[in-house]
Structures are given as structure tokens and as C-alpha cells.
């Protein structure tokens, strides 16, 4: 990787029917909070058909990745946040964190614990070695 910019993915967890506007606002808040530019967004298989996510990604001109269930489950062991609600609904202690980690593979790391913004959670992960 060297001096290249680190890739940043935002893992997103949201309630059913969350609007693209809400998602975009949350991504902007997370981006500003951590001083990073988000490259693409990711979510768990159970959120694959959430229209707001796809619409937000399209508007932001970003890829929208739905991680594979085995990758999601594997990454779940590496989350920082442990939410009983998330575990009940998604099978992971933090859907947003696990999705972000899974999207970038086993070498990925979370930039910070997930942020709760209104009805959604956003977690940023990176692969870069730029500390």
C-alpha cells in the first residue's frame, strides 16, 4: 500500500425503510467526525434489498456491497461494539461493524466503534497501513 490513500468502507445498519437522505446525512456525519473520505458502503445480507441504501450509494456515486454471509459471520468476531439488539436481528453483535470489516477482508480494521446516528449505525473500516 505504501503512501497510497487507505480505502475506507462504511458499514451501515438501518431500520427498514430508512430514506436515502437519512443515510447520506449519516455518512456525511461519520466522514466529518473521523476526517476521512468514504470510498464505498457495505451492509449485511439481511439488508441487501434495503432501497434507501442502494439509492444513497447511487446518489453518492459509490459502490454498494452486500457482504457474503460467511464473511459477515467471520468478521462478527472482530467487532468492537456488542449490541444485543443487533445480535437478535442480524446474528452479529454489530451489523455495521461486521459488514464494514467483512467488505475489506481479514486484514481490515475498524477506525472507531460504530456511530449511532438516529435510527442507524455507521462503522468505518480501512485496509490501509497509514496510521
Amino acid at each position: 500500500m505504501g503512501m497510497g490513500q487507505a480505502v475506507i468502507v462504511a458499514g451501515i445498519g438501518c431500520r427498514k425503510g430508512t430514506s436515502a437522505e437519512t443515510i447520506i446525512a449519516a455518512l456525511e456525519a461519520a466522514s466529518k467526525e473521523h476526517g476521512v473520505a468514504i470510498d464505498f458502503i457495505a451492509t449485511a445480507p439481511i439488508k441487501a434489498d434495503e432501497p434507501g441504501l442502494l439509492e444513497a450509494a447511487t446518489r453518492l456515486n459509490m459502490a454498494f456491497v452486500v457482504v457474503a454471509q460467511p464473511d459477515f459471520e467471520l468478521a462478527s468476531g472482530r467487532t468492537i461494539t456488542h449490541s444485543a439488539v443487533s445480535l437478535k436481528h442480524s446474528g452479529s453483535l454489530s451489523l455495521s461493524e461486521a459488514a464494514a470489516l467483512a467488505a475489506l477482508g481479514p486484514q481490515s480494521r475498524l477506525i472507531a466503534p460504530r456511530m449511532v446516528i438516529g435510527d442507524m449505525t455507521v462503522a468505518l473500516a480501512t485496509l490501509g497501513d497509514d496510521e
Side-chain angles (χ1 to χ4, degrees):
M1 299 279 277
M3 296 304 292
Q5 281 300 102
V7 175
I8 310 278
V9 58
I12 300 179
C14 62
R15 295 220 175 121
K16 218 167 181 45
T18 300
S19 72
E21 286 76 16
T22 303
I23 293 164
I24 290 168
L27 287 169
E28 282 170 357
S31 183
K32 195 171 287 174
E33 171 84 18
H34 297 293
V36 295
I38 295 165
D39 294 302
F40 67 101
I41 62 178
T43 198
I46 60 163
K47 294 285 171 195
D49 53 1
E50 195 53 57
L53 286 172
L54 188 55
E55 191 184 330
T58 304
R59 285 204 211 163
L60 293 167
N61 203 17
M62 282 179 190
F64 169 45
V65 175
V66 178
V67 301
Q69 189 66 31
D71 296 340
F72 178 73
E73 287 165 9
L74 203 60
S76 293
R78 298 195 291 130
T79 64
I80 300 172
T81 305
H82 294 160
S83 154
V85 175
S86 180
L87 183 61
K88 191 178 82 186
H89 292 298
S90 72
S92 167
L93 288 163
S94 174
L95 183 150
S96 55
E97 290 180 11
L101 289 166
L104 291 178
Q107 303 305 312
S108 61
R109 60 183 173 85
L110 290 167
I111 291 175
R114 65 164 167 72
M115 295 171 65
V116 178
I117 304 165
D119 276 351
M120 45 184 297
T121 56
V122 179
L124 304 181
T126 184
L127 253 190
D129 46 13
D130 308 358
E131 286 307 319

